[in-house]
Coordinates of all heavy atoms in Angstrom, one line a residue:
A1 N 0.8 -1.2 0.0 CA 0.0 0.0 0.0 C 0.9 1.2 0.0 O 2.0 1.2 0.5 CB -0.9 0.0 1.2
A2 N 0.3 2.3 -0.5 CA 1.1 3.6 -0.5 C 0.1 4.8 -0.4 O -1.1 4.6 -0.7 CB 1.9 3.7 -1.7
M3 N 0.6 5.9 0.0 CA -0.1 7.1 0.1 C 0.8 8.3 -0.2 O 1.9 8.4 0.4 CB -0.8 7.3 1.4 CG -1.6 8.6 1.5 SD -2.4 8.8 3.1 CE -3.8 7.6 2.9
S4 N 0.4 9.2 -1.1 CA 1.2 10.3 -1.4 C 1.2 11.3 -0.3 O 0.4 11.2 0.7 CB 0.7 11.0 -2.7 OG -0.4 11.8 -2.4
R5 N 2.1 12.3 -0.3 CA 2.2 13.3 0.7 C 0.9 14.1 0.8 O 0.7 14.8 1.8 CB 3.5 14.1 0.6 CG 3.5 14.9 -0.6 CD 5.0 15.3 -1.0 NE 5.7 14.1 -1.4 CZ 7.0 14.1 -1.6 NH1 7.8 15.2 -1.5 NH2 7.6 13.0 -2.0
S6 N 0.2 14.1 -0.3 CA -1.1 14.8 -0.3 C -2.2 14.1 0.4 O -3.3 14.7 0.6 CB -1.5 15.0 -1.8 OG -0.6 15.8 -2.5
G7 N -2.0 12.9 0.8 CA -3.0 12.1 1.5 C -4.0 11.4 0.6 O -3.6 11.0 -0.5
G8 N -5.2 11.3 0.9 CA -6.2 10.7 0.1 C -6.5 9.3 0.7 O -6.2 8.9 1.8
S9 N -7.0 8.4 -0.2 CA -7.4 7.1 0.2 C -6.3 6.0 0.0 O -6.5 4.9 0.5 CB -8.7 6.7 -0.7 OG -8.3 6.6 -2.0
G10 N -5.3 6.4 -0.6 CA -4.2 5.4 -0.8 C -4.3 4.6 -2.0 O -5.3 4.6 -2.7
D11 N -3.3 3.8 -2.3 CA -3.2 2.9 -3.4 C -2.7 1.6 -2.9 O -1.9 1.5 -2.0 CB -2.2 3.5 -4.4 CG -2.6 4.8 -5.0 OD1 -3.6 4.9 -5.8 OD2 -2.1 5.9 -4.6
Y12 N -3.3 0.5 -3.5 CA -3.2 -0.8 -2.9 C -2.8 -1.9 -3.9 O -3.3 -1.8 -5.1 CB -4.5 -1.2 -2.2 CG -4.9 -0.2 -1.1 CD1 -5.7 0.9 -1.4 CD2 -4.4 -0.4 0.2 CE1 -6.0 1.8 -0.4 CE2 -4.8 0.5 1.2 CZ -5.6 1.6 0.9 OH -5.9 2.5 1.8
A13 N -2.1 -2.9 -3.5 CA -1.9 -4.1 -4.3 C -3.3 -4.8 -4.4 O -4.1 -4.7 -3.4 CB -0.9 -5.0 -3.6
D14 N -3.5 -5.5 -5.5 CA -4.7 -6.2 -5.7 C -5.0 -7.2 -4.6 O -6.2 -7.3 -4.2 CB -4.7 -6.9 -7.0 CG -4.8 -5.9 -8.2 OD1 -5.2 -4.8 -8.0 OD2 -4.6 -6.4 -9.3
F15 N -4.0 -7.8 -4.0 CA -4.3 -8.9 -3.1 C -4.6 -8.4 -1.7 O -5.0 -9.2 -0.8 CB -3.0 -9.8 -3.0 CG -1.7 -9.2 -2.7 CD1 -1.4 -8.8 -1.4 CD2 -0.9 -8.9 -3.8 CE1 -0.1 -8.2 -1.2 CE2 0.4 -8.3 -3.5 CZ 0.7 -7.9 -2.2
V16 N -4.6 -7.0 -1.5 CA -5.0 -6.5 -0.2 C -6.1 -5.5 -0.3 O -6.7 -5.1 0.7 CB -3.8 -5.8 0.6 CG1 -2.7 -6.8 0.8 CG2 -3.3 -4.6 -0.1
K17 N -6.5 -5.1 -1.5 CA -7.5 -4.1 -1.7 C -8.8 -4.6 -1.1 O -9.3 -5.7 -1.3 CB -7.7 -3.8 -3.2 CG -8.5 -2.6 -3.5 CD -8.4 -2.2 -5.0 CE -9.1 -0.9 -5.2 NZ -9.0 -0.5 -6.7
G18 N -9.4 -3.7 -0.3 CA -10.7 -4.1 0.4 C -10.4 -4.6 1.8 O -11.4 -4.8 2.5
R19 N -9.2 -5.0 2.1 CA -8.9 -5.6 3.4 C -8.0 -4.7 4.2 O -8.1 -4.6 5.4 CB -8.2 -7.0 3.2 CG -9.1 -8.0 2.5 CD -8.4 -9.4 2.6 NE -7.2 -9.5 1.9 CZ -6.0 -9.9 2.5 NH1 -6.0 -10.2 3.8 NH2 -4.9 -9.9 1.8
F20 N -7.0 -4.0 3.5 CA -6.1 -3.2 4.2 C -6.3 -1.7 3.9 O -6.8 -1.4 2.8 CB -4.6 -3.5 3.7 CG -4.1 -4.8 4.1 CD1 -4.9 -5.8 4.6 CD2 -2.7 -5.1 3.8 CE1 -4.4 -7.1 5.0 CE2 -2.2 -6.3 4.2 CZ -3.0 -7.3 4.8
T21 N -6.0 -0.9 4.8 CA -6.2 0.6 4.7 C -4.9 1.3 5.2 O -4.5 1.0 6.3 CB -7.4 1.1 5.4 OG1 -8.6 0.4 5.0 CG2 -7.6 2.6 5.2
I22 N -4.4 2.1 4.4 CA -3.3 3.0 4.8 C -3.8 4.3 5.2 O -4.7 4.9 4.6 CB -2.2 3.1 3.7 CG1 -1.0 3.9 4.2 CG2 -2.8 3.7 2.4 CD1 0.2 3.9 3.2
S23 N -3.2 4.9 6.2 CA -3.7 6.2 6.7 C -2.5 7.0 7.3 O -1.5 6.4 7.7 CB -4.8 6.1 7.7 OG -4.4 5.4 8.9
R24 N -2.7 8.3 7.4 CA -1.7 9.2 8.0 C -2.3 9.8 9.2 O -3.5 10.1 9.2 CB -1.3 10.3 7.1 CG -0.5 9.8 5.9 CD -0.1 11.0 5.0 NE 0.7 10.7 3.8 CZ 2.0 10.7 3.8 NH1 2.7 11.1 4.9 NH2 2.6 10.4 2.7
D25 N -1.5 10.0 10.2 CA -1.9 10.9 11.4 C -0.7 11.9 11.5 O 0.3 11.6 12.1 CB -2.0 10.1 12.6 CG -2.6 10.9 13.8 OD1 -2.4 12.1 13.8 OD2 -3.2 10.3 14.7
N26 N -0.9 13.0 10.8 CA 0.2 14.0 10.8 C 0.5 14.6 12.2 O 1.6 15.0 12.4 CB -0.1 15.1 9.8 CG -0.1 14.6 8.3 OD1 0.5 13.5 8.1 ND2 -0.7 15.3 7.5
A27 N -0.6 14.7 13.0 CA -0.3 15.2 14.3 C 0.6 14.3 15.2 O 1.4 14.8 16.0 CB -1.7 15.4 15.1
R28 N 0.5 13.0 14.9 CA 1.4 12.1 15.6 C 2.7 11.7 14.8 O 3.5 11.0 15.3 CB 0.7 10.8 16.0 CG -0.5 11.0 17.0 CD -1.1 9.7 17.3 NE -2.2 9.8 18.2 CZ -3.0 8.8 18.6 NH1 -2.8 7.6 18.2 NH2 -3.9 9.0 19.5
N29 N 2.7 12.2 13.6 CA 3.8 11.9 12.7 C 4.0 10.4 12.5 O 5.0 9.9 12.6 CB 5.1 12.5 13.2 CG 6.2 12.6 12.1 OD1 5.9 12.8 11.0 ND2 7.5 12.5 12.5
T30 N 2.8 9.8 12.2 CA 2.8 8.4 12.0 C 2.0 8.0 10.7 O 1.2 8.8 10.3 CB 2.2 7.6 13.2 OG1 0.9 8.0 13.4 CG2 3.0 7.8 14.4
V31 N 2.3 6.8 10.2 CA 1.5 6.2 9.1 C 1.1 4.8 9.6 O 1.9 4.1 10.1 CB 2.3 6.2 7.9 CG1 1.5 5.4 6.8 CG2 2.7 7.6 7.4
A32 N -0.2 4.5 9.4 CA -0.7 3.2 9.8 C -1.1 2.3 8.7 O -1.4 2.8 7.6 CB -1.9 3.4 10.8
L33 N -1.1 1.0 8.9 CA -1.7 0.1 8.0 C -2.6 -0.8 8.8 O -2.2 -1.6 9.6 CB -0.6 -0.8 7.3 CG -1.1 -1.8 6.3 CD1 -1.6 -1.0 5.0 CD2 0.0 -2.8 5.9
Q34 N -3.9 -0.6 8.6 CA -4.9 -1.4 9.2 C -5.2 -2.6 8.3 O -5.5 -2.5 7.1 CB -6.2 -0.6 9.3 CG -7.4 -1.4 9.9 CD -7.2 -1.8 11.4 OE1 -6.7 -0.9 12.1 NE2 -7.4 -3.0 11.7
M35 N -5.0 -3.8 8.9 CA -5.1 -5.1 8.2 C -6.2 -5.9 8.7 O -6.2 -6.3 9.9 CB -3.8 -5.8 8.2 CG -2.6 -5.0 7.8 SD -1.1 -6.1 7.7 CE -0.9 -6.5 9.5
N36 N -7.2 -6.1 7.9 CA -8.4 -6.9 8.3 C -8.5 -8.1 7.5 O -7.9 -8.2 6.4 CB -9.7 -6.0 8.1 CG -9.7 -4.8 9.0 OD1 -9.2 -4.8 10.1 ND2 -10.3 -3.7 8.5
S37 N -9.3 -9.1 7.9 CA -9.5 -10.3 7.2 C -8.2 -11.0 6.8 O -8.0 -11.4 5.6 CB -10.4 -10.1 6.0 OG -11.6 -9.5 6.3
L38 N -7.3 -11.1 7.7 CA -6.0 -11.6 7.4 C -6.0 -13.0 7.0 O -6.8 -13.8 7.5 CB -5.1 -11.3 8.6 CG -4.6 -9.9 8.8 CD1 -4.0 -9.7 10.2 CD2 -3.5 -9.6 7.7
K39 N -5.1 -13.3 6.1 CA -5.0 -14.7 5.6 C -3.6 -15.2 5.9 O -2.6 -14.5 6.0 CB -5.2 -14.7 4.0 CG -6.5 -14.0 3.6 CD -6.5 -13.9 2.0 CE -7.8 -13.3 1.6 NZ -7.8 -13.2 0.1
P40 N -3.4 -16.5 5.9 CA -2.1 -17.1 6.2 C -1.1 -16.6 5.2 O 0.1 -16.4 5.5 CB -2.3 -18.6 6.0 CG -3.7 -18.8 6.5 CD -4.5 -17.6 6.0
E41 N -1.5 -16.4 3.9 CA -0.5 -15.9 2.9 C -0.1 -14.4 3.1 O 0.8 -13.9 2.4 CB -1.1 -16.1 1.5 CG -2.5 -15.5 1.3 CD -3.6 -16.5 1.5 OE1 -3.5 -17.3 2.4 OE2 -4.5 -16.5 0.6
D42 N -0.7 -13.7 4.1 CA -0.2 -12.4 4.5 C 1.0 -12.5 5.4 O 1.5 -11.4 5.7 CB -1.4 -11.6 5.2 CG -2.5 -11.3 4.2 OD1 -2.3 -11.0 3.1 OD2 -3.7 -11.4 4.7

């Protein structure tokens, strides 16, 4: 997954689209990856 410095919804590999979400928290100076519906192949 990736997100430009402009933010937005992010861009995703096909195998994680709909399951993972990238986000920024600029106040905390962090970037997160929320991973749902995890599979063994992850």
